[in-house]
Amino acid sequence: SQQGEEDPQALSIQEGENATMNCSYKTSINNLQWYRQNSGRGLVHLILIRSNEREKHSGRLRVTLDTSKKSSSLLITASRAADTASYFCATDAGNNNDMRFGAGTRLTVKP
Amino acid sequence: DTGVSQDPRHKITKRGQNVTFRCDPISEHNRLYWYRQTLGQGPEFLTYFQNEAQLEKSRLLSDRFSAERPKGSFSTLEIQRTEQGDSAMYLCASSLLARGELFFGEGSRLTVL
């Protein structure tokens, strides 16, 4: 079963704009991860945020985590056409040793 | 570090045939995962190995699916008597730590005619 749900399902923006994607999950977690997937390719890890962290940055990426609301957001600043991809959040759902993924947000950045 | 490799990348088969996929994880990673992904959906967990032990298996995995990881290195995923509903991308990932960063292969795309 999938643990996280991303919102929106699809997002289309112009190059240079910021993109924000949200993830909600159902049970307590140890950490939450964000991944990116280009069409027809494998997933690439972007960032991991632990349950005791509230915000994390990596380059143009900013991730926040609100465990009280069981939600996370991924912000991509100054987007580029090359950021066009699907973005997934994944959580470990407490005692599971594996990561469970949501259905993803399909981001299109128009040049 | 050559990354996670999967073989074959594409497989077309007729309904009822058996297929086998192979995954070679990053060499020092003792955790290996199989996921299935259909178009427009996120990866769906199938099974997980720590070394050669299969520690978790999804209830969604029918008895036509079997996975092995002999000697704790490469893994195989076999699907017997394939059905059209098995058409999907089969993704393998490995990790060094429990609940840590997953390193994915490029996937094996299965089409069942």
Side-chain angles (χ1 to χ4, degrees):
Chain A
S1 62
Q2 294 185 319
Q3 159 79 328
E5 292 186 6
E6 289 89 344
D7 171 67
Q9 290 186 336
L11 180 61
S12 182
I13 59 174
Q14 293 293 136
E15 207 165 27
E17 293 180 339
N18 295 342
T20 300
M21 289 158 270
N22 302 298
C23 169
S24 59
Y25 56 92
K26 298 173 184 173
T27 61
S28 63
I29 60 172
N30 294 291
N31 71 64
L32 184 146
Q33 301 177 30
W34 284 91
Y35 288 80
R36 167 198 167 117
Q37 183 180 36
N38 285 39
S39 181
R41 307 294 297 275
L43 283 77
V44 175
H45 181 265
L46 295 176
I47 199 163
L48 182 155
I49 186 165
R50 303 194 187 285
S51 59
N52 61 353
E53 297 175 310
R54 291 297 168 258
E55 187 171 312
K56 210 162 182 180
H57 297 255
S58 177
R60 293 184 296 114
L61 305 181
R62 173 180 169 249
V63 168
T64 62
L65 178 64
D66 187 335
T67 54
S68 67
K69 295 180 179 178
K70 291 186 170 59
S71 68
S72 173
S73 67
L74 170 67
L75 168 68
I76 303 175
T77 59
S79 63
R80 305 166 182 167
D83 294 328
T84 294
S86 290
Y87 292 82
F88 297 92
C89 70
T91 59
D92 60 358
N95 292 326
N96 284 352
N97 285 307
D98 58 277
M99 303 302 293
R100 306 289 170 105
F101 290 80
T105 293
R106 277 154 289 287
L107 173 66
T108 302
V109 182
K110 299 175 184 177
Chain B
D1 178 359
T2 58
V4 178
S5 62
Q6 293 188 244
D7 184 71
R9 291 291 311 280
H10 303 276
K11 178 72 176 179
I12 300 174
T13 191
K14 292 183 179 179
R15 189 175 47 158
Q17 298 294 305
N18 298 345
V19 296
T20 299
F21 300 113
R22 175 180 170 124
C23 171
D24 287 88
I26 294 172
S27 57
E28 62 266 28
H29 288 183
N30 58 7
R31 291 170 173 82
L32 186 146
Y33 309 80
W34 284 99
Y35 289 85
R36 176 172 62 190
Q37 187 179 28
T38 53
L39 197 61
Q41 297 299 311
E44 178 183 40
F45 170 75
L46 294 179
T47 191
Y48 155 66
F49 289 86
Q50 182 168 324
N51 299 313
E52 65 275 12
Q54 187 173 18
L55 296 185
E56 198 170 342
K57 192 174 174 180
S58 169
R59 282 171 288 179
L60 301 173
L61 210 61
S62 79
D63 56 8
R64 295 185 298 106
F65 287 71
S66 62
E68 293 182 342
R69 193 183 182 197
K71 302 178 184 177
S73 55
F74 71 93
S75 175
T76 58
L77 177 68
E78 182 182 19
I79 309 173
Q80 295 182 328
R81 304 181 303 281
T82 53
E83 301 172 357
Q84 288 186 325
D86 297 331
S87 295
M89 176 79 88
Y90 290 85
L91 294 164
C92 176
S94 68
S95 71
L96 191 58
L97 301 172
R99 311 185 190 98
E101 175 184 350
L102 296 176
F103 292 80
F104 280 86
E106 294 291 356
S108 293
R109 180 168 296 283
L110 173 65
T111 301
V112 181
L113 301 176

